[in-house]
């Protein structure tokens, strides 16, 4: 699915550093999402966006910031990374509440 | 908020057997129930979904059943093949401030042995 991409694919950082994960989709989907995947917890929603300049919190938003100035991009920033934020991060996009979500390839983030 | 419980967490079957994964949800207003499959090292992908106006939906070897009264839904895979080995996630929506957010279960790791 070349329509949704994430960068970087792998990132190692240190506690306290700011990290930004990028997400780009080419389908012009209205909705975009950020999930984190940890063993035993499945996929947990961090933030979502219903359209450009409209964002809202998900289940686990603390420590994260998002923005969406353009429909196709939805960056996720960890303002001051902590070890508990070590995880695999998936971006997804879709057309609405009851439609398929298309996931990006994921970013594996390690915070030392 | 919505709570989605998924069982079992791991499932091991012989090739050709059937596999069943069950999920329960708490929000009685939920009316859309997707299932995602995630192969090792890959991204989750939708394999089937069901809406609350039907009780069962089939697509070749996979089917999903829904019991709204009991608030549970299940994924059934028949004639399992090694390529069915993956982690499967169920999900249910929870309405929260203008959008039905998907709440995912913790996942079931299915291993199909030749």
């Amino acid at each position: 699915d070349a329509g949704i991409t994430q960068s970087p694919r792998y990132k190692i950082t240190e506690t306290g550093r700011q990290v930004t994960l990028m997400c780009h989709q080419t389908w012009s989907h209205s909705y975009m999402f950020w999930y984190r995947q940890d063993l035993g917890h499945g996929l947990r929603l961090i933030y979502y966006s219903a359209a450009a300049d409209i964002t809202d919190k998900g289940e686990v938003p603390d420590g994260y910031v998002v923005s969406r100035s353009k429909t196709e991009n939805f960056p996720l920033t960890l303002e001051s990374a902590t070890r508990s934020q070590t995880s695999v991060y998936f971006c997804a996009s879709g057309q609405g509440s009851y439609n398929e979500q298309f996931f990006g390839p994921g970013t594996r983030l390690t915070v030392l | 908020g919505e709570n989605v419980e998924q069982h079992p967490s791991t499932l091991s079957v012989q090739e050709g057997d059937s596999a069943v994964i069950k999920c329960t949800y708490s929000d009685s207003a939920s009316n859309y129930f997707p299932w995602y499959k995630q192969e090792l090292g890959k991204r989750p992908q939708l394999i089937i979904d069901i809406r609350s106006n039907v009780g069962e939906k089939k697509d070749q070897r996979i089917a999903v059943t829904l019991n709204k009264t009991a608030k549970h839904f299940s994924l059934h895979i028949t004639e399992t093949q090694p390529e069915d080995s993956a982690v499967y996630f169920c999900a249910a929506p929870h309405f929260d401030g203008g959008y039905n957010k998907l709440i995912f279960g913790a996942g079931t790791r299915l291993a199909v042995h030749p």
Side-chain angles (χ1 to χ4, degrees):
Chain A
D1 291 332
I4 182 164
T5 57
Q6 294 183 234
S7 62
R9 296 292 313 280
Y10 304 91
K11 177 73 176 179
I12 299 174
T13 191
E14 296 178 338
T15 302
R17 290 190 180 268
Q18 183 179 81
V19 177
T20 296
L21 309 184
M22 305 300 294
C23 179
H24 176 79
Q25 54 108 354
T26 60
W27 292 306
S28 299
H29 285 158
S30 300
Y31 288 87
M32 295 188 75
F33 314 88
W34 275 106
Y35 293 92
R36 61 177 290 173
Q37 185 173 37
D38 306 290
L39 193 63
H41 289 281
L43 294 156
R44 291 183 292 176
L45 182 65
I46 303 170
Y47 269 96
Y48 72 95
S49 170
D53 297 322
I54 300 175
T55 62
D56 204 353
K57 298 177 180 179
E59 299 172 83
V60 289
D62 293 343
Y64 303 95
V65 175
V66 294
S67 62
R68 196 170 176 203
S69 57
K70 294 183 178 181
T71 300
E72 61 266 31
N73 297 324
F74 191 38
L76 175 74
T77 298
L78 289 67
E79 294 189 301
S80 178
T82 65
R83 289 180 182 170
S84 64
Q85 293 177 310
T86 292
S87 186
V88 178
Y89 290 85
F90 285 100
C91 177
S93 70
Q95 287 288 35
S97 303
Y98 304 113
N99 297 91
E100 179 176 2
Q101 290 189 20
F102 296 86
F103 285 80
T107 295
R108 184 175 294 276
L109 176 68
T110 301
V111 183
L112 302 177
Chain B
E2 175 76 281
N3 184 40
V4 178
E5 294 191 357
Q6 184 171 346
H7 299 280
S9 58
T10 60
L11 182 58
S12 181
V13 300
Q14 290 296 125
E15 183 177 0
D17 288 350
S18 295
V20 181
I21 303 170
K22 299 181 179 180
C23 287
T24 61
Y25 61 97
S26 58
D27 188 346
S28 58
S30 294
N31 54 7
Y32 170 67
F33 307 93
W35 285 89
Y36 284 78
K37 175 184 180 182
Q38 186 180 26
E39 296 177 359
L40 188 62
K42 305 284 185 167
R43 71 192 78 189
Q45 291 187 301
L46 181 73
I47 55 170
I48 195 168
D49 58 18
I50 191 169
R51 300 173 196 271
S52 61
N53 56 341
V54 297
E56 184 177 9
K57 183 177 179 180
K58 290 183 179 180
D59 184 3
Q60 299 182 339
R61 294 186 299 106
I62 61 173
V64 57
T65 58
L66 172 64
N67 184 327
K68 285 218 72 180
T69 302
K71 291 192 276 188
H72 66 72
F73 56 110
S74 300
L75 178 71
H76 304 254
I77 306 174
T78 58
E79 301 173 24
T80 54
Q81 301 169 4
E83 52 264 38
D84 294 328
S85 297
V87 178
Y88 292 81
F89 294 98
C90 64
H94 173 63
F95 184 79
D96 183 8
Y99 177 71
N100 282 312
K101 304 172 189 176
L102 272 184
I103 306 300
F104 284 84
T108 296
R109 184 174 298 278
L110 173 64
V112 180
H113 301 285

Short mmCIF file of all heavy atoms in Angstrom, two decimals, chain A residues 1-2 4 9 31 33 35 37 39-43 45 48 56-59 90 96-105, chain B residues 2 29 31-32 36 38 41-46 49 51 87 89 93 96-107 109:
data_model
loop_
_atom_site.label_atom_id
_atom_site.label_comp_id
_atom_site.label_asym_id
_atom_site.label_seq_id
_atom_site.Cartn_x
_atom_site.Cartn_y
_atom_site.Cartn_z
N ASP A 1 0.83 -1.20 0.00
CA ASP A 1 0.00 0.00 0.00
C ASP A 1 0.86 1.24 0.00
O ASP A 1 1.10 1.87 1.01
CB ASP A 1 -0.88 0.00 1.25
CG ASP A 1 -1.94 -1.08 1.20
OD1 ASP A 1 -2.33 -1.43 0.09
OD2 ASP A 1 -2.36 -1.56 2.24
N ALA A 2 1.34 1.65 -1.16
CA ALA A 2 2.21 2.81 -1.25
C ALA A 2 1.46 4.07 -0.91
O ALA A 2 2.06 5.13 -0.77
CB ALA A 2 2.79 2.90 -2.66
N ILE A 4 0.06 5.11 1.82
CA ILE A 4 0.33 5.68 3.13
C ILE A 4 1.72 5.27 3.56
O ILE A 4 2.05 4.09 3.57
CB ILE A 4 -0.75 5.31 4.16
CG1 ILE A 4 -0.46 5.99 5.51
CG2 ILE A 4 -0.95 3.82 4.29
CD1 ILE A 4 -1.65 5.98 6.46
N ARG A 9 11.39 4.57 9.56
CA ARG A 9 10.89 3.24 9.88
C ARG A 9 11.45 2.74 11.20
O ARG A 9 10.79 1.97 11.90
CB ARG A 9 11.24 2.26 8.76
CG ARG A 9 10.59 2.57 7.42
CD ARG A 9 9.06 2.36 7.48
NE ARG A 9 8.69 1.11 8.11
CZ ARG A 9 8.73 -0.06 7.51
NH1 ARG A 9 9.09 -0.15 6.24
NH2 ARG A 9 8.38 -1.16 8.16
N TYR A 31 -9.90 11.21 7.39
CA TYR A 31 -9.47 10.87 8.74
C TYR A 31 -8.06 10.27 8.74
O TYR A 31 -7.72 9.48 7.87
CB TYR A 31 -10.43 9.85 9.36
CG TYR A 31 -11.77 10.43 9.73
CD1 TYR A 31 -12.80 10.50 8.80
CD2 TYR A 31 -12.00 10.92 11.02
CE1 TYR A 31 -14.03 11.05 9.14
CE2 TYR A 31 -13.24 11.46 11.36
CZ TYR A 31 -14.24 11.52 10.42
OH TYR A 31 -15.45 12.06 10.75
N PHE A 33 -5.07 8.72 11.77
CA PHE A 33 -4.97 8.21 13.14
C PHE A 33 -3.52 7.87 13.47
O PHE A 33 -2.76 7.48 12.59
CB PHE A 33 -5.80 6.93 13.29
CG PHE A 33 -7.18 7.00 12.71
CD1 PHE A 33 -7.38 6.67 11.38
CD2 PHE A 33 -8.26 7.36 13.48
CE1 PHE A 33 -8.65 6.72 10.82
CE2 PHE A 33 -9.53 7.41 12.93
CZ PHE A 33 -9.73 7.09 11.60
N TYR A 35 -1.68 5.20 16.19
CA TYR A 35 -1.80 4.14 17.18
C TYR A 35 -0.40 3.76 17.66
O TYR A 35 0.57 3.88 16.94
CB TYR A 35 -2.43 2.89 16.56
CG TYR A 35 -3.87 3.03 16.14
CD1 TYR A 35 -4.20 3.41 14.83
CD2 TYR A 35 -4.90 2.74 17.02
CE1 TYR A 35 -5.53 3.52 14.44
CE2 TYR A 35 -6.24 2.84 16.63
CZ TYR A 35 -6.53 3.23 15.34
OH TYR A 35 -7.84 3.32 14.95
N GLN A 37 1.45 0.25 19.30
CA GLN A 37 1.24 -1.19 19.49
C GLN A 37 2.26 -1.73 20.46
O GLN A 37 3.47 -1.69 20.20
CB GLN A 37 1.33 -1.93 18.15
CG GLN A 37 1.01 -3.42 18.30
CD GLN A 37 0.94 -4.13 16.97
OE1 GLN A 37 1.70 -3.85 16.05
NE2 GLN A 37 0.00 -5.05 16.85
N LEU A 39 3.01 -5.15 23.20
CA LEU A 39 2.62 -6.52 23.47
C LEU A 39 1.59 -6.56 24.59
O LEU A 39 1.77 -5.95 25.63
CB LEU A 39 3.86 -7.33 23.86
CG LEU A 39 3.70 -8.84 23.87
CD1 LEU A 39 3.39 -9.33 22.46
CD2 LEU A 39 4.97 -9.50 24.40
N GLY A 40 0.50 -7.28 24.34
CA GLY A 40 -0.54 -7.41 25.35
C GLY A 40 -1.58 -6.32 25.36
O GLY A 40 -2.57 -6.41 26.08
N HIS A 41 -1.35 -5.27 24.55
CA HIS A 41 -2.29 -4.15 24.53
C HIS A 41 -2.94 -3.93 23.17
O HIS A 41 -3.79 -3.06 23.02
CB HIS A 41 -1.60 -2.87 24.96
CG HIS A 41 -1.24 -2.83 26.41
ND1 HIS A 41 -2.16 -2.55 27.41
CD2 HIS A 41 -0.08 -3.07 27.05
CE1 HIS A 41 -1.56 -2.60 28.57
NE2 HIS A 41 -0.30 -2.91 28.40
N GLY A 42 -2.57 -4.66 22.19
CA GLY A 42 -3.17 -4.44 20.89
C GLY A 42 -2.78 -3.09 20.32
O GLY A 42 -1.65 -2.63 20.47
N LEU A 43 -3.74 -2.46 19.68
CA LEU A 43 -3.53 -1.15 19.07
C LEU A 43 -4.29 -0.12 19.90
O LEU A 43 -5.51 -0.20 20.03
CB LEU A 43 -4.05 -1.16 17.63
CG LEU A 43 -3.29 -2.07 16.67
CD1 LEU A 43 -4.17 -2.47 15.50
CD2 LEU A 43 -2.03 -1.38 16.18
N LEU A 45 -5.26 3.93 20.40
CA LEU A 45 -5.34 5.19 19.67
C LEU A 45 -4.71 6.31 20.50
O LEU A 45 -5.06 6.52 21.66
CB LEU A 45 -6.81 5.51 19.37
CG LEU A 45 -7.08 6.78 18.57
CD1 LEU A 45 -6.50 6.66 17.16
CD2 LEU A 45 -8.58 7.05 18.51
N TYR A 48 -6.32 11.39 16.78
CA TYR A 48 -6.88 11.26 15.45
C TYR A 48 -7.21 12.64 14.92
O TYR A 48 -7.24 13.63 15.66
CB TYR A 48 -8.12 10.36 15.45
CG TYR A 48 -9.34 10.98 16.08
CD1 TYR A 48 -10.30 11.63 15.31
CD2 TYR A 48 -9.54 10.88 17.45
CE1 TYR A 48 -11.41 12.19 15.90
CE2 TYR A 48 -10.66 11.43 18.04
CZ TYR A 48 -11.60 12.09 17.27
OH TYR A 48 -12.71 12.64 17.84
N ASP A 56 -8.05 15.48 17.72
CA ASP A 56 -8.63 15.18 19.03
C ASP A 56 -7.90 14.00 19.65
O ASP A 56 -7.25 13.20 18.95
CB ASP A 56 -10.12 14.88 18.93
CG ASP A 56 -10.85 15.15 20.23
OD1 ASP A 56 -10.17 15.45 21.25
OD2 ASP A 56 -12.08 15.05 20.26
N LYS A 57 -8.02 13.91 20.96
CA LYS A 57 -7.31 12.88 21.72
C LYS A 57 -7.96 11.52 21.56
O LYS A 57 -9.16 11.39 21.39
CB LYS A 57 -7.30 13.27 23.20
CG LYS A 57 -6.57 14.55 23.51
CD LYS A 57 -6.67 14.88 25.00
CE LYS A 57 -5.93 16.18 25.32
NZ LYS A 57 -6.03 16.53 26.75
N GLY A 58 -7.11 10.51 21.66
CA GLY A 58 -7.58 9.14 21.70
C GLY A 58 -7.47 8.59 23.11
O GLY A 58 -7.67 9.30 24.09
N GLU A 59 -7.13 7.30 23.23
CA GLU A 59 -7.08 6.63 24.53
C GLU A 59 -5.84 7.01 25.35
O GLU A 59 -5.90 7.09 26.58
CB GLU A 59 -7.04 5.11 24.33
CG GLU A 59 -8.22 4.50 23.63
CD GLU A 59 -7.95 3.03 23.34
OE1 GLU A 59 -8.14 2.20 24.24
OE2 GLU A 59 -7.51 2.72 22.21
N PHE A 90 1.90 3.10 14.53
CA PHE A 90 1.23 2.97 13.23
C PHE A 90 0.37 4.20 12.97
O PHE A 90 -0.42 4.61 13.82
CB PHE A 90 0.34 1.73 13.19
CG PHE A 90 1.09 0.45 13.04
CD1 PHE A 90 1.34 -0.36 14.14
CD2 PHE A 90 1.53 0.03 11.80
CE1 PHE A 90 2.03 -1.55 14.02
CE2 PHE A 90 2.22 -1.17 11.65
CZ PHE A 90 2.47 -1.96 12.76
N GLY A 96 -14.07 7.45 7.14
CA GLY A 96 -15.06 7.77 8.14
C GLY A 96 -15.17 6.73 9.22
O GLY A 96 -14.39 5.79 9.30
N SER A 97 -16.17 6.89 10.06
CA SER A 97 -16.33 6.07 11.25
C SER A 97 -16.51 4.59 10.94
O SER A 97 -16.04 3.74 11.68
CB SER A 97 -17.55 6.54 12.04
OG SER A 97 -17.44 7.89 12.36
N TYR A 98 -17.21 4.27 9.89
CA TYR A 98 -17.52 2.87 9.59
C TYR A 98 -16.87 2.40 8.31
O TYR A 98 -17.43 1.62 7.55
CB TYR A 98 -19.04 2.70 9.52
CG TYR A 98 -19.72 3.15 10.78
CD1 TYR A 98 -20.55 4.25 10.78
CD2 TYR A 98 -19.48 2.49 11.98
CE1 TYR A 98 -21.16 4.68 11.94
CE2 TYR A 98 -20.08 2.92 13.14
CZ TYR A 98 -20.93 4.00 13.12
OH TYR A 98 -21.52 4.43 14.26
N ASN A 99 -15.69 2.90 8.08
CA ASN A 99 -14.93 2.51 6.89
C ASN A 99 -13.59 1.92 7.27
O ASN A 99 -13.08 2.16 8.36
CB ASN A 99 -14.74 3.73 5.98
CG ASN A 99 -16.04 4.29 5.45
OD1 ASN A 99 -16.63 5.17 6.06
ND2 ASN A 99 -16.52 3.75 4.35
N GLU A 100 -13.04 1.17 6.34
CA GLU A 100 -11.75 0.54 6.55
C GLU A 100 -10.69 1.59 6.87
O GLU A 100 -10.65 2.66 6.28
CB GLU A 100 -11.35 -0.23 5.30
CG GLU A 100 -10.00 -0.92 5.38
CD GLU A 100 -9.72 -1.75 4.15
OE1 GLU A 100 -10.56 -1.75 3.24
OE2 GLU A 100 -8.65 -2.39 4.12
N GLN A 101 -9.82 1.24 7.81
CA GLN A 101 -8.65 2.05 8.08
C GLN A 101 -7.47 1.39 7.40
O GLN A 101 -7.25 0.18 7.53
CB GLN A 101 -8.41 2.16 9.59
CG GLN A 101 -9.47 3.00 10.29
CD GLN A 101 -9.11 3.29 11.73
OE1 GLN A 101 -7.95 3.20 12.14
NE2 GLN A 101 -10.10 3.66 12.52
N PHE A 102 -6.70 2.18 6.68
CA PHE A 102 -5.51 1.70 5.98
C PHE A 102 -4.29 2.10 6.79
O PHE A 102 -4.07 3.29 7.04
CB PHE A 102 -5.45 2.29 4.58
CG PHE A 102 -6.60 1.85 3.70
CD1 PHE A 102 -7.79 2.54 3.71
CD2 PHE A 102 -6.48 0.74 2.89
CE1 PHE A 102 -8.86 2.15 2.92
CE2 PHE A 102 -7.54 0.33 2.08
CZ PHE A 102 -8.73 1.04 2.10
N PHE A 103 -3.51 1.11 7.18
CA PHE A 103 -2.37 1.36 8.05
C PHE A 103 -1.09 1.55 7.24
O PHE A 103 -0.89 0.94 6.19
CB PHE A 103 -2.19 0.18 9.01
CG PHE A 103 -3.20 0.16 10.12
CD1 PHE A 103 -4.47 -0.35 9.90
CD2 PHE A 103 -2.87 0.64 11.38
CE1 PHE A 103 -5.41 -0.37 10.94
CE2 PHE A 103 -3.79 0.62 12.41
CZ PHE A 103 -5.06 0.11 12.19
N GLY A 104 -0.23 2.40 7.79
CA GLY A 104 1.11 2.55 7.25
C GLY A 104 1.99 1.40 7.70
O GLY A 104 1.55 0.54 8.47
N PRO A 105 3.25 1.37 7.26
CA PRO A 105 4.13 0.24 7.57
C PRO A 105 4.65 0.23 9.00
O PRO A 105 5.21 -0.77 9.45
CB PRO A 105 5.29 0.42 6.59
CG PRO A 105 5.31 1.88 6.32
CD PRO A 105 3.88 2.32 6.36
N GLU B 2 -15.67 2.40 25.97
CA GLU B 2 -15.76 1.06 25.37
C GLU B 2 -14.63 0.17 25.88
O GLU B 2 -13.48 0.60 26.01
CB GLU B 2 -15.69 1.18 23.85
CG GLU B 2 -15.66 -0.14 23.09
CD GLU B 2 -17.02 -0.81 23.02
OE1 GLU B 2 -17.41 -1.43 24.02
OE2 GLU B 2 -17.68 -0.71 21.97
N ALA B 29 -24.15 0.89 22.06
CA ALA B 29 -24.40 1.69 20.86
C ALA B 29 -23.50 1.29 19.70
O ALA B 29 -23.70 1.74 18.57
CB ALA B 29 -24.21 3.17 21.18
N ASN B 31 -22.04 -0.38 16.53
CA ASN B 31 -22.76 -1.01 15.43
C ASN B 31 -21.89 -1.34 14.23
O ASN B 31 -22.39 -1.54 13.12
CB ASN B 31 -23.93 -0.12 15.00
CG ASN B 31 -23.49 1.29 14.69
OD1 ASN B 31 -22.29 1.57 14.66
ND2 ASN B 31 -24.42 2.17 14.44
N TYR B 32 -20.58 -1.38 14.44
CA TYR B 32 -19.67 -1.73 13.35
C TYR B 32 -18.50 -2.49 13.96
O TYR B 32 -17.88 -2.02 14.92
CB TYR B 32 -19.17 -0.45 12.65
CG TYR B 32 -18.04 -0.68 11.67
CD1 TYR B 32 -18.25 -1.39 10.49
CD2 TYR B 32 -16.77 -0.19 11.92
CE1 TYR B 32 -17.22 -1.60 9.60
CE2 TYR B 32 -15.74 -0.39 11.02
CZ TYR B 32 -15.97 -1.10 9.86
OH TYR B 32 -14.95 -1.31 8.98
N TYR B 36 -9.09 -7.26 11.89
CA TYR B 36 -7.84 -6.98 11.19
C TYR B 36 -6.87 -8.14 11.40
O TYR B 36 -6.82 -8.74 12.48
CB TYR B 36 -7.21 -5.67 11.69
CG TYR B 36 -7.89 -4.43 11.17
CD1 TYR B 36 -9.08 -3.98 11.72
CD2 TYR B 36 -7.34 -3.72 10.11
CE1 TYR B 36 -9.72 -2.85 11.23
CE2 TYR B 36 -7.96 -2.57 9.62
CZ TYR B 36 -9.15 -2.15 10.18
OH TYR B 36 -9.78 -1.03 9.69
N GLN B 38 -2.78 -9.19 11.15
CA GLN B 38 -1.42 -8.64 11.09
C GLN B 38 -0.42 -9.79 11.03
O GLN B 38 -0.21 -10.50 12.01
CB GLN B 38 -1.14 -7.75 12.30
CG GLN B 38 0.20 -7.04 12.22
CD GLN B 38 0.46 -6.16 13.42
OE1 GLN B 38 -0.07 -6.38 14.51
NE2 GLN B 38 1.28 -5.12 13.23
N GLY B 41 5.67 -8.75 11.40
CA GLY B 41 6.44 -7.66 10.84
C GLY B 41 5.71 -6.79 9.83
O GLY B 41 6.31 -5.92 9.21
N LYS B 42 4.41 -7.04 9.68
CA LYS B 42 3.63 -6.29 8.69
C LYS B 42 2.62 -5.37 9.37
O LYS B 42 2.49 -5.35 10.58
CB LYS B 42 2.89 -7.27 7.77
CG LYS B 42 3.77 -8.30 7.10
CD LYS B 42 4.56 -7.71 5.96
CE LYS B 42 5.33 -8.78 5.22
NZ LYS B 42 5.86 -8.33 3.95
N ARG B 43 1.92 -4.62 8.56
CA ARG B 43 0.89 -3.72 9.07
C ARG B 43 -0.44 -4.45 9.21
O ARG B 43 -0.70 -5.41 8.48
CB ARG B 43 0.74 -2.53 8.12
CG ARG B 43 0.09 -2.88 6.77
CD ARG B 43 0.22 -1.77 5.76
NE ARG B 43 1.54 -1.72 5.17
CZ ARG B 43 1.97 -0.74 4.39
NH1 ARG B 43 1.20 0.30 4.12
NH2 ARG B 43 3.19 -0.77 3.87
N PRO B 44 -1.33 -4.03 10.10
CA PRO B 44 -2.68 -4.63 10.17
C PRO B 44 -3.46 -4.33 8.90
O PRO B 44 -3.36 -3.24 8.33
CB PRO B 44 -3.31 -3.91 11.37
CG PRO B 44 -2.17 -3.35 12.15
CD PRO B 44 -1.11 -3.02 11.14
N GLN B 45 -4.25 -5.31 8.47
CA GLN B 45 -5.10 -5.14 7.30
C GLN B 45 -6.48 -5.70 7.58
O GLN B 45 -6.61 -6.77 8.19
CB GLN B 45 -4.48 -5.85 6.08
CG GLN B 45 -3.20 -5.18 5.58
CD GLN B 45 -2.70 -5.76 4.28
OE1 GLN B 45 -2.42 -6.95 4.21
NE2 GLN B 45 -2.59 -4.95 3.26
N LEU B 46 -7.49 -4.97 7.13
CA LEU B 46 -8.88 -5.41 7.31
C LEU B 46 -9.13 -6.69 6.53
O LEU B 46 -8.78 -6.79 5.35
CB LEU B 46 -9.82 -4.33 6.83
CG LEU B 46 -11.32 -4.63 6.98
CD1 LEU B 46 -11.72 -4.55 8.45
CD2 LEU B 46 -12.16 -3.67 6.14
N ASP B 49 -15.60 -7.28 7.99
CA ASP B 49 -16.30 -6.47 8.97
C ASP B 49 -17.78 -6.78 8.92
O ASP B 49 -18.28 -7.38 7.95
CB ASP B 49 -16.03 -4.97 8.78
CG ASP B 49 -16.43 -4.47 7.39
OD1 ASP B 49 -17.21 -5.13 6.69
OD2 ASP B 49 -15.95 -3.39 6.99
N ARG B 51 -21.78 -5.18 10.17
CA ARG B 51 -22.55 -4.08 10.75
C ARG B 51 -23.74 -4.68 11.49
O ARG B 51 -24.14 -5.81 11.24
CB ARG B 51 -22.98 -3.11 9.66
CG ARG B 51 -21.76 -2.53 8.96
CD ARG B 51 -22.06 -1.67 7.75
NE ARG B 51 -20.85 -1.49 6.96
CZ ARG B 51 -19.96 -0.50 7.16
NH1 ARG B 51 -20.17 0.39 8.10
NH2 ARG B 51 -18.88 -0.41 6.41
N VAL B 87 -1.50 -12.48 13.78
CA VAL B 87 -2.24 -11.95 14.92
C VAL B 87 -3.53 -11.32 14.39
O VAL B 87 -3.49 -10.55 13.41
CB VAL B 87 -1.42 -10.92 15.70
CG1 VAL B 87 -2.24 -10.35 16.86
CG2 VAL B 87 -0.13 -11.55 16.23
N PHE B 89 -6.98 -9.04 15.24
CA PHE B 89 -7.52 -8.05 16.15
C PHE B 89 -8.99 -7.79 15.82
O PHE B 89 -9.33 -7.56 14.66
CB PHE B 89 -6.78 -6.70 16.02
CG PHE B 89 -5.35 -6.73 16.45
CD1 PHE B 89 -4.33 -6.88 15.52
CD2 PHE B 89 -5.02 -6.62 17.79
CE1 PHE B 89 -3.01 -6.90 15.92
CE2 PHE B 89 -3.68 -6.64 18.19
CZ PHE B 89 -2.68 -6.79 17.26
N PRO B 93 -16.49 0.29 17.81
CA PRO B 93 -16.44 1.75 17.92
C PRO B 93 -17.01 2.26 19.23
O PRO B 93 -17.88 1.65 19.83
CB PRO B 93 -17.30 2.22 16.75
CG PRO B 93 -18.30 1.13 16.57
CD PRO B 93 -17.61 -0.15 16.97
N ASP B 96 -17.31 9.26 20.98
CA ASP B 96 -16.71 10.15 21.96
C ASP B 96 -16.45 11.50 21.32
O ASP B 96 -15.43 11.71 20.69
CB ASP B 96 -15.40 9.53 22.48
CG ASP B 96 -14.76 10.37 23.55
OD1 ASP B 96 -15.38 11.36 24.00
OD2 ASP B 96 -13.63 10.07 23.94
N GLY B 97 -17.37 12.40 21.45
CA GLY B 97 -17.17 13.76 20.97
C GLY B 97 -17.19 13.95 19.48
O GLY B 97 -16.41 14.71 18.94
N GLY B 98 -18.06 13.23 18.77
CA GLY B 98 -18.23 13.52 17.36
C GLY B 98 -17.65 12.50 16.43
O GLY B 98 -17.85 12.58 15.24
N TYR B 99 -16.94 11.53 16.94
CA TYR B 99 -16.38 10.50 16.06
C TYR B 99 -16.39 9.17 16.80
O TYR B 99 -16.09 9.10 17.98
CB TYR B 99 -14.95 10.85 15.65
CG TYR B 99 -14.31 9.78 14.81
CD1 TYR B 99 -14.72 9.58 13.50
CD2 TYR B 99 -13.34 8.95 15.34
CE1 TYR B 99 -14.16 8.57 12.74
CE2 TYR B 99 -12.77 7.95 14.59
CZ TYR B 99 -13.19 7.76 13.28
OH TYR B 99 -12.64 6.77 12.53
N ASN B 100 -16.76 8.10 16.06
CA ASN B 100 -16.72 6.77 16.64
C ASN B 100 -15.30 6.23 16.58
O ASN B 100 -14.86 5.68 15.57
CB ASN B 100 -17.65 5.82 15.89
CG ASN B 100 -19.10 6.03 16.30
OD1 ASN B 100 -19.40 6.09 17.48
ND2 ASN B 100 -19.98 6.14 15.33
N LYS B 101 -14.57 6.33 17.65
CA LYS B 101 -13.19 5.83 17.68
C LYS B 101 -13.22 4.32 17.76
O LYS B 101 -14.04 3.74 18.47
CB LYS B 101 -12.45 6.38 18.89
CG LYS B 101 -12.44 7.89 18.98
CD LYS B 101 -11.86 8.33 20.31
CE LYS B 101 -12.03 9.83 20.51
NZ LYS B 101 -11.56 10.26 21.83
N LEU B 102 -12.32 3.69 17.05
CA LEU B 102 -12.20 2.24 17.11
C LEU B 102 -11.39 1.84 18.33
O LEU B 102 -10.26 2.32 18.51
CB LEU B 102 -11.54 1.69 15.85
CG LEU B 102 -12.43 1.35 14.66
CD1 LEU B 102 -11.60 0.72 13.57
CD2 LEU B 102 -13.60 0.45 15.04
N ILE B 103 -11.93 0.95 19.15
CA ILE B 103 -11.21 0.37 20.27
C ILE B 103 -10.87 -1.06 19.89
O ILE B 103 -11.75 -1.86 19.58
CB ILE B 103 -12.05 0.40 21.56
CG1 ILE B 103 -12.55 1.82 21.85
CG2 ILE B 103 -11.24 -0.14 22.73
CD1 ILE B 103 -11.44 2.84 22.05
N PHE B 104 -9.59 -1.39 19.91
CA PHE B 104 -9.13 -2.71 19.50
C PHE B 104 -8.99 -3.65 20.69
O PHE B 104 -8.65 -3.25 21.80
CB PHE B 104 -7.77 -2.60 18.80
CG PHE B 104 -7.85 -2.07 17.40
CD1 PHE B 104 -7.88 -0.71 17.16
CD2 PHE B 104 -7.89 -2.94 16.31
CE1 PHE B 104 -7.96 -0.20 15.86
CE2 PHE B 104 -7.96 -2.45 15.01
CZ PHE B 104 -8.01 -1.08 14.79
N GLY B 105 -9.25 -4.93 20.43
CA GLY B 105 -8.92 -5.96 21.39
C GLY B 105 -7.41 -6.16 21.44
O GLY B 105 -6.67 -5.62 20.61
N ALA B 106 -6.97 -6.94 22.41
CA ALA B 106 -5.53 -7.13 22.62
C ALA B 106 -4.87 -8.05 21.60
O ALA B 106 -3.65 -8.13 21.54
CB ALA B 106 -5.27 -7.65 24.04
N GLY B 107 -5.69 -8.75 20.81
CA GLY B 107 -5.14 -9.58 19.75
C GLY B 107 -5.10 -11.06 20.10
O GLY B 107 -5.00 -11.44 21.27
N ARG B 109 -2.97 -14.47 18.75
CA ARG B 109 -1.91 -15.01 17.88
C ARG B 109 -2.30 -16.41 17.46
O ARG B 109 -2.35 -17.31 18.29
CB ARG B 109 -0.58 -15.02 18.62
CG ARG B 109 0.60 -15.47 17.75
CD ARG B 109 1.92 -15.33 18.50
NE ARG B 109 2.19 -13.94 18.85
CZ ARG B 109 2.73 -13.04 18.04
NH1 ARG B 109 3.05 -13.39 16.80
NH2 ARG B 109 2.95 -11.81 18.46
#
